[in-house]
Each structure stands twice: as C-alpha cells, then as structure tokens.
Amino acid sequence: MKRNKTAKLVVALAATAALVSACAGDRSGDAVVPGTGSGDAKASSSTAAEKFGTLASPCGTGDAKGATDQGVTDTEIKIGYGDDRGYAKSPGLNKEMSDAVSAMIDWCNEQGGINGRKIVGTDYDAAMTQANSVMQDACRSQFMMVGHGFAMDQTSEQTRVACNMAAVPGFTVSPDAANGPMTYQGVPFPVDVANAAAWFQMGEMHPDMKSDFTLVGSTMPTIITSLTKTKSMAEAAGFTLKDCGITLNYEGEASYVPFAEKLKQCGAKGMWTSRSPVPAEFNFIKAVDQVGLDPIIFGEATWYGNAVQSFNKDTGLLDNLNADMTFQMLENDANPAVKQYKDLVTAKGGKTALLGMQSTSSFLLWATAAKECGSDLTRQCMITELSKIHEWDGGGLHAVSDPGTNTPAQCGLMVELKGAEYSQAFPTQQGEFKCDPKYLIKTDPSTWGTDLNADRISTKYLNPNVITPKA
C-alpha cells in the first residue's frame, strides 16, 4: 500500500527521533508484578530514602508558596505532556510516552508533589497533524511541557517560542526543536553534535569489515539527511563505505530483488539502514536472502522492537542484526531504574517501551530542576536550573548525557537478535555501556537544517523575550 505524505512522517519519526540515540524502538517489556518498584511510601518526603533507580527522588512534601508563574499556585503545578496516539494511520502512536508521564506524576504526587505542590497534568493528543493546536492550548494554561513527543513538532515550535513555553520533551524531531530555545532533554539529540558510538563499536566487533559496509538509502528527505550524517560517523570510526547505489522508495518497490542484486554485485558484507522496521523493509530483507546473501544488518534503536521480533521468529533472516542503544534494555530487570519504570507503568495498565523510558528521564530532569526552584517556581528559574545539569542518566535508565549544554551521551551498547530474543552483544558485560570522548563528533552544518547562534540555539524563531539562563 502506498503511503501519502503525512503517513511518511510516522516512518520519519522512527528513523530520526528517539528517542533514541534519541532514537527509540517500540520494544515492549514483559509483564511484571505491579507496584514493586515505587515502594509504599505515601505522601512522604524524599528524605525517607525514596529513589528512582539511583536518583534520590526530587519529589516530596514542603512549604512552597505563591502563584509565581502561569500554571503555578500555592498547591498546584500544571504541566502538559502527550503524544500522537490519535493518528488514524497509526493508532496508539507513541502512547507509551503519556503512559510514562502519567505514572510518574502519580509517583511524585504520592510523595507530596514538588516541595508540597501537587502536579496536575494535561494529556494532549496531537494526532500527528494537531501539534500546533495542542501548543496553542498549552500556551494559555500550562506552566511547562514535559516528557512529550510530537512527530510534527516543526508546526508548533514557533507558537511555543512565542509564548515562552519552556519545555523538557521526551524527544524532538525537527532541527528547530532539537536545538530550540528554552528546551532541555534528558536524552539530547542536537543537530550539530552526534554520538557515533555505534560505528566505533561495530568497528571493534568486526575490525576486518571496515571496507565491507554500505548504506541503504531512501527517497525520504529526512533519511537522505540522516545518511549524510551517518556517513560522517562511519568515516570518523575508520570505515571506508562501499557505494552500492541502493536507494529504496519510501512508498515501496514492486520488487526488491534488483536492489538485492546490486548489494551482491557490490560485494558488501554488511549494510546500515536508517529506515524503520516496516513491511517494505522486511521485503527488502527477504530479497537479500533470495539472492543468496547473509549480511550483517546494522541499524538504530528502532530495530529493537516487537515487529522485528515477530518477523525474525518466523523467518530467522535477522539473526545477523545489531542495533545501537544509549538506553538500558527493557529485559534488564537487574537495573533498578528499568524495573521501577516497568513496575510503575504496568501498575496503571500502560505500555512499556524505550520512548516511555525517554519520557521518564525527561520528567525526572524537570522535577529535579523544579525542586531546586522551591517557592520561586518560575520559568526563568527552571531554565537557569536546567542549564546547570551536566551529568544525567535518569537514575540509571540510560548512558550519561549533558542536558545543560544539549550534548548527547558519549557512550553506547549494541544489542543482537537471535530468533525472537534480544541480548546485549557489546560490550560483553551485560548492562554496561562503553564510553569514549571520540564517539562525539561534530556534524556538517549542511546537514543541520537550521542556523545556530553562538550558543548553539536555532535562530529561526528567536525573539528578544526568549528566556535564557541567568548566571
């Protein structure tokens, strides 16, 4: 079935956002016993040893007072969150994000809120095409936007900046939002700096194949831009890529065999795809098998997902798959933060997935800054406090990032798939990331999609009233 131009944004989101990296897959966790992660402390102070993973809880009782900003009173803090779950062509799209924030609001309020103020959340459904309408509503009532992710955030960014709606999103997609003013993320994904850990680690796993990989292209503009960045990452890691000339139509191909034949003639033994694990991509994998090839398949965290498991359980054609991650695997219940996230969300009947962990991290980042503001809970204070946070792992959910300077983690791990089971492939110590400053590389300005000022902020919607950190 051919997709229209709006439908392709679902694929663009999976290919460029999450999450992930800021990219994140749809991998759902297994069911767990509800309630075992958050403890039974009700309305207790964070001094009662309440934690999220390794993070001391920012939530608790207190005596904060004052109607200090829009959405803030003596007793309440109003925040907006949301996803695109109402998009008709992909019902439930990224609902795990709202499920996570809703669970975290309850968890925080059970401890007493933030310095005694209870959090009141508004759950928005942007349904893919309504992001600007959502932001217009938020501008009239909310203190901040927290843990949200809208695939078409480029349509709402001008509105957000104009009303000084400070934000701690779960993910961003458009360049202007990724490096937007008044925006901080638990897992940054800026346009000008990239985490190339995946390529360096693939080079360690297969040092004899640095001349044997190729990139699978697409007619989708977002993937064209993404592949330019990917090429620079691969080259920084010492790869000399083969140019096999494979560009797949995002709407699908009548036959994928000619493209598989190109791969065979080119002599590539490994291929990177920025495409998402959709039926068309699986058809290409089948064609590669039909021409007698069994290459290493290498992709982003979108390939850590339920659809991939189902396909491989039936075919076994992805037993050579590797996917890079900056998050812990959902299977890793030995990690307290992962287990607690799963417990809190499943206790409310929600869906657990990587994007949910991404929203959880951003909520905790927001709450940590809000606690520091005390009674002076203003957007100005929040921007100042968020800018000071330079080491952040969401209590152990992911590798350490630097939200204060919008800098990604310089770490990663690789997962592999055998049958329907994922496991960590690199490094060998389960639950450990490998980190190295060389993993962070500066990207070519031609790939940014926006102009940045000296502070690495997108200039497109800047105005004199934008809130900036105070010394």
Side-chain angles (χ1 to χ4, degrees):
M1 179 183 295
K2 291 189 176 182
R3 299 175 178 82
N4 61 26
K5 291 183 178 180
T6 302
K8 75 180 183 181
L9 287 168
V10 178
V11 183
L13 167 62
T16 63
L19 200 131
V20 35
S21 63
C23 302
D26 68 347
R27 175 77 178 99
S28 298
D30 297 327
V32 294
V33 179
T36 57
S38 61
D40 57 3
K42 300 288 185 179
S44 62
S45 170
S46 58
T47 58
E50 183 78 27
K51 287 188 172 185
F52 188 92
T54 59
L55 177 72
S57 175
C59 309
T61 57
D63 56 2
K65 301 285 184 185
T68 52
D69 209 326
Q70 174 179 289
V72 179
T73 69
D74 282 350
T75 59
E76 293 182 347
I77 309 169
K78 293 183 178 179
I79 63 171
Y81 59 102
D83 49 52
D84 288 308
R85 61 189 177 277
Y87 182 49
K89 294 183 182 296
S90 184
L93 182 62
N94 300 334
K95 182 179 178 293
E96 58 266 29
M97 302 182 76
S98 288
D99 288 346
V101 176
S102 176
M104 292 305 295
I105 289 174
D106 287 352
W107 174 77
C108 196
N109 283 340
E110 286 173 359
Q111 299 169 59
I114 303 288
N115 296 316
R117 291 184 174 112
K118 290 298 181 76
I119 304 167
V120 178
T122 300
D123 187 359
Y124 291 106
D125 177 8
M128 188 65 75
T129 61
Q130 301 301 312
N132 192 47
S133 296
V134 162
M135 197 60 67
Q136 288 172 344
D137 184 83
C139 282
R140 291 190 289 266
S141 58
Q142 305 301 315
F143 173 54
M144 288 181 66
M145 292 292 292
V146 180
H148 60 292
F150 304 136
M152 293 183 67
D153 57 16
Q154 75 273 16
T155 65
S156 61
E157 185 64 4
Q158 183 174 9
T159 298
R160 184 190 71 81
V161 176
C163 79
N164 278 353
M165 180 54 63
V168 188
F171 71 72
T172 53
V173 176
S174 66
D176 294 308
N179 284 66
M182 304 174 293
T183 295
Y184 297 85
Q185 297 183 69
V187 185
F189 195 63
V191 300
D192 58 325
V193 182
N195 179 358
W199 283 98
F200 282 95
Q201 293 180 1
M202 179 58 76
E204 288 195 55
M205 294 169 68
H206 300 283
D208 57 334
M209 291 184 60
K210 288 189 174 182
S211 299
D212 295 326
F213 271 83
T214 190
L215 307 182
V216 177
S218 171
T219 58
M220 184 185 297
T222 53
I223 294 182
I224 293 171
T225 301
S226 174
L227 283 180
T228 302
K229 293 181 180 179
T230 299
K231 186 173 184 291
S232 65
M233 293 183 209
E235 291 173 347
F239 282 76
T240 303
L241 297 172
K242 290 182 177 292
D243 183 4
C244 297
I246 302 172
T247 300
L248 304 176
N249 193 316
Y250 74 86
E251 292 185 336
E253 300 285 354
S255 172
Y256 288 91
V257 171
F259 299 94
E261 289 287 1
K262 274 190 175 183
L263 186 70
K264 186 175 184 178
Q265 293 167 9
C266 189
K269 299 176 183 177
M271 62 181 187
W272 163 273
T273 176
S274 286
R275 289 162 58 90
S276 300
V278 294
E281 189 74 354
F282 293 147
N283 287 336
F284 175 56
I285 300 299
K286 290 177 180 177
V288 169
D289 177 65
Q290 288 172 15
V291 301
L293 295 181
D294 188 24
I296 291 174
I297 301 167
F298 182 24
E300 296 166 334
T302 52
W303 286 84
Y304 173 70
N306 297 137
V308 181
Q309 288 177 300
S310 296
F311 174 79
N312 201 49
K313 182 179 180 181
D314 293 337
T315 67
L317 298 181
L318 291 174
D319 277 351
N320 280 346
L321 173 70
N322 288 118
D324 71 287
M325 309 229 303
T326 56
F327 271 81
Q328 291 286 343
M329 297 177 64
L330 280 157
E331 289 86 351
N332 187 9
D333 278 343
N335 179 291
V338 173
K339 186 175 188 305
Q340 191 168 357
Y341 158 72
K342 290 163 64 175
D343 288 348
L344 289 171
V345 173
T346 54
K348 293 194 66 178
K351 176 185 177 184
T352 57
L354 286 185
L355 279 179
M357 288 202 287
Q358 206 154 309
S359 290
T360 299
S361 176
S362 283
F363 175 88
L364 289 167
L365 179 68
W366 170 83
T368 297
K371 178 186 178 182
E372 292 301 312
C373 287
S375 284
D376 183 31
L377 188 58
T378 63
R379 292 175 186 172
Q380 176 64 70
C381 180
M382 289 295 297
I383 295 301
T384 299
E385 290 299 327
L386 286 164
S387 72
K388 297 176 182 177
I389 300 175
H390 299 299
E391 291 188 4
W392 184 257
D393 66 359
L397 288 175
H398 53 80
V400 176
S401 64
D402 183 350
T405 62
N406 197 21
T407 303
Q410 54 185 27
C411 310
L413 61 79
M414 297 280 277
V415 302
E416 63 183 1
L417 180 65
K418 299 298 180 185
E421 301 298 324
Y422 285 102
S423 60
Q424 184 169 323
F426 183 93
T428 55
Q429 182 64 41
Q430 299 300 295
E432 295 293 327
F433 296 97
K434 182 168 183 180
C435 307
D436 196 313
K438 71 182 180 183
Y439 290 172
L440 287 186
I441 67 168
K442 293 182 178 180
T443 60
D444 190 324
S446 66
T447 68
W448 293 354
T450 190
D451 293 323
L452 305 182
N453 64 15
D455 296 319
R456 300 175 50 240
I457 301 295
S458 172
T459 61
K460 188 170 184 178
Y461 300 122
L462 277 181
N463 64 71
N465 297 320
V466 163
I467 303 169
T468 57
K470 285 187 175 180

